[in-house]
Amino acid sequence: MAVDSVKQQLNKVFNDEEAPINKKLPKELLLRIFSYLDVVSLCRCAQVSKSWNILALDGSNWQRIDLFDFQKDVEGPIIENISRRCGGFLRQLSLRGCQSIADGSMKTLAQLCPNVEDLNLNGCKKLTDSSCNAFSKHCSKLQKLNLDSCAAITDMSLKALSDGCPNLTHINVSWCSNITENGVEALARGCPRLKSFISKGCKQVTSRAVICLARFCKHLEVINLLGCCSIRDEAVQSLAEKCPDLHYVCLSGCSFLTDASLIALAQKCPLLSTLEVAGCSQFTDAGFQALARSCRYLEKMDLDECILITDTTLIHLAMGCPRIEYLTLSHCELITDDGIRHLSMSPCAAENLTILELDNCPLITDASLEHLTSCHNLQRVELYDCQLITRLGIRRLRSHLPNIKVHAYFAPVTPPPSAGGNRQRYCRCCIIL
């Protein structure tokens, strides 16, 4: 009986249109409260009463929608209903991972939500150039577009966007393998306000494409060319010369680049904070020395497989880059304990260094771990395949930094041959298996 009484009281409070909560709070205030809720909460509120249903589903509350958590269930009709409900109110929509979405839904969205500014379509693999043509026709206010892994997208999409979306500032076409220098050039000419260009894995993006970006998009701050393996020094030099606001640069996998690229960035891009150059095997200490002298805001550096660098690079980074938080030196096989010693004595190590990756650095020993005990903010160290590192050295490091995560691998010891003659030998893993 007590439960039934409580239910009746709740029904009076919420379901009755004349309930106190609806009388005392004006609709404008309820609308404002609902505007802070996420999609799930709004849907729950819509089930409380008729008046709350109207208020919760008001288009003004649906300006920013993220459907990632519902990606498996989101299909075309849902997007079309949302488009009708939101109309001109919609500003930001994330459909990341919604693989069932096709061009028809995007055309409806573009027509009914012309004020959308931010679209995340990462992983919507059914989308083609037709969607971008619709955005070009109806969404002139579009500023951010993520087409990561939309493999059917071609240069036609970039040409359409250049014609109809002049306010575009951020675009991601990573893993859209059909994108070429022609599409990038058209985009650069039509979208001069571009600040972020990400094209990971687009092997047909060439030096000419990058030079066009630098020429027409002088406000670029972020560029990611991971895996654009034909990029040459002249492209990076053009970027550095004409885009002085660059603070994030990824050139990983661009193996034709030399120190000339690093020197150009050092001379022209003093705001650089993130540099990822994994696999740029021609870079040497000279290039990083130039960076360390000029780029004091560097916080993250990925030097994985920069196989020519030595302790000299670490010495210069220690002196010139006091803000470094994340440093990857994996597969830099010439790095020794002395380089780590200089790094650990620097201001950046004592105050800021949080992640250090030293995988496959064969000359690193327990002495390096002893040096790292002075890095009080160090949170994680990677030591895979550092064969001179011992468990004792790791225990000593943890005794000074008890919260640190150390990732290491110790190969099982192969037992000595037995006296039984030619019997096959097994390591401990094989015995367990």
Side-chain angles (χ1 to χ4, degrees):
M1 291 295 293
V3 173
D4 292 337
S5 175
V6 170
K7 286 183 177 179
Q8 290 176 3
Q9 290 178 5
L10 288 174
N11 286 334
K12 287 182 179 179
V13 171
F14 291 109
N15 293 340
D16 184 2
E17 299 306 318
E18 298 299 318
I21 193 170
N22 293 325
K23 279 186 173 182
K24 293 184 178 180
L25 291 180
K27 291 182 179 179
E28 294 79 8
L29 182 55
L30 281 171
L31 268 176
R32 183 62 182 271
I33 294 171
F34 287 158
S35 70
Y36 292 100
L37 302 181
D38 58 24
V39 171
V40 176
S41 300
L42 283 170
C43 290
R44 288 172 179 166
C45 288
Q47 300 175 57
V48 170
S49 69
K50 290 181 180 179
S51 61
W52 277 36
N53 180 277
I54 294 171
L55 294 173
L57 298 183
D58 187 88
S60 64
N61 293 320
W62 295 72
Q63 297 183 39
R64 292 172 178 80
I65 304 174
D66 187 347
L67 298 179
F68 176 71
D69 292 336
F70 313 97
Q71 54 182 293
K72 293 182 180 179
D73 304 314
V74 174
E75 296 182 352
I78 293 177
I79 300 305
E80 292 163 16
N81 288 336
I82 287 176
S83 301
R84 294 186 184 96
R85 185 177 305 283
C86 298
F89 286 108
L90 186 66
R91 296 292 186 273
Q92 181 179 341
L93 175 64
S94 175
L95 300 175
R96 181 166 63 102
C98 299
Q99 297 188 25
S100 298
I101 301 303
D103 291 327
S105 303
M106 290 297 98
K107 290 178 182 177
T108 302
L109 175 76
Q111 291 170 359
L112 298 180
C113 305
N115 295 321
V116 68
E117 299 172 355
D118 186 343
L119 271 177
N120 186 345
L121 305 175
N122 184 339
C124 299
K125 297 181 179 181
K126 291 185 178 181
L127 299 185
T128 70
D129 295 331
S130 295
S131 292
C132 289
N133 285 330
F135 301 148
S136 174
K137 290 179 182 178
H138 304 288
C139 303
S140 60
K141 296 181 180 179
L142 190 63
Q143 297 178 18
K144 298 181 180 181
L145 181 61
N146 189 339
L147 297 169
D148 190 326
S149 302
C150 298
I153 295 296
T154 73
D155 288 341
M156 297 304 297
S157 287
L158 299 191
K159 290 176 181 177
L161 293 170
S162 71
D163 291 334
C165 303
N167 296 310
L168 204 64
T169 59
H170 296 68
I171 189 163
N172 186 340
V173 291
S174 297
W175 316 110
C176 298
S177 57
N178 294 314
I179 297 295
T180 73
E181 60 185 19
N182 296 325
V184 176
E185 180 175 357
L187 181 75
R189 289 178 180 274
C191 302
R193 299 180 184 180
L194 211 59
K195 293 183 178 181
S196 174
F197 179 80
I198 301 176
S199 61
K200 294 183 288 185
C202 296
K203 295 184 178 181
Q204 297 189 71
V205 172
T206 63
S207 290
R208 177 187 156 197
V210 177
I211 290 171
C212 284
L213 280 171
R215 177 182 175 188
F216 296 105
C217 305
K218 298 183 179 181
H219 300 293
L220 270 179
E221 298 176 1
V222 173
I223 189 161
N224 191 325
L225 301 171
L226 182 147
C228 301
C229 49
S230 65
I231 302 296
R232 307 280 177 149
D233 287 329
E234 57 265 26
V236 180
Q237 289 169 330
S238 182
L239 273 175
E241 179 72 30
K242 296 176 180 178
C243 304
D245 296 332
L246 280 171
H247 62 80
Y248 177 105
V249 175
C250 177
L251 303 169
S252 295
C254 301
S255 57
F256 290 119
L257 298 180
T258 71
D259 285 341
S261 291
L262 295 182
I263 292 171
L265 290 171
Q267 292 174 344
K268 301 294 184 178
C269 300
L271 301 178
L272 197 62
S273 62
T274 297
L275 179 66
E276 299 175 2
V277 291
C280 295
S281 55
Q282 296 191 58
F283 288 167
T284 72
D285 294 331
F288 291 110
Q289 179 179 352
L291 275 175
R293 286 177 175 171
S294 303
C295 301
R296 297 186 60 82
Y297 295 106
L298 276 168
E299 296 177 355
K300 178 181 179 181
M301 297 185 73
D302 184 353
L303 313 186
D304 190 348
E305 292 188 346
C306 292
I307 57 176
L308 298 181
I309 66 171
T310 69
D311 293 339
T312 301
T313 288
L314 296 189
I315 292 171
H316 287 292
L317 291 178
M319 292 188 297
C321 301
R323 299 190 179 194
I324 290 182
E325 299 176 6
Y326 183 114
L327 181 62
T328 297
L329 299 168
S330 301
H331 298 90
C332 297
E333 298 184 355
L334 302 179
I335 298 296
T336 73
D337 295 332
D338 193 52
I340 302 300
R341 179 177 66 84
H342 280 89
L343 183 68
S344 66
M345 294 169 58
S346 68
C348 79
E351 298 176 12
N352 297 315
L353 189 64
T354 57
I355 297 174
L356 180 63
E357 298 183 355
L358 297 169
D359 303 326
N360 290 277
C361 292
L363 303 181
I364 296 297
T365 73
D366 288 349
S368 287
L369 302 188
E370 199 68 39
H371 299 319
L372 292 175
T373 57
S374 61
C375 304
H376 304 299
N377 290 314
L378 198 59
Q379 297 175 7
R380 176 163 62 86
V381 177
E382 303 284 345
L383 297 168
Y384 289 110
D385 214 21
C386 294
Q387 298 182 14
L388 300 180
I389 295 293
T390 68
R391 288 184 173 86
L392 178 60
I394 293 175
R395 281 198 294 270
R396 287 173 178 167
L397 177 64
R398 283 179 170 154
S399 68
H400 289 86
L401 304 172
N403 296 321
I404 195 171
K405 294 180 180 178
V406 180
H407 296 159
Y409 170 75
F410 296 93
V413 178
T414 302
S418 64
N422 294 325
R423 193 176 64 152
Q424 188 174 1
R425 291 182 293 165
Y426 296 98
C427 68
R428 292 177 186 173
C429 290
C430 298
I431 293 172
I432 294 172
L433 292 173

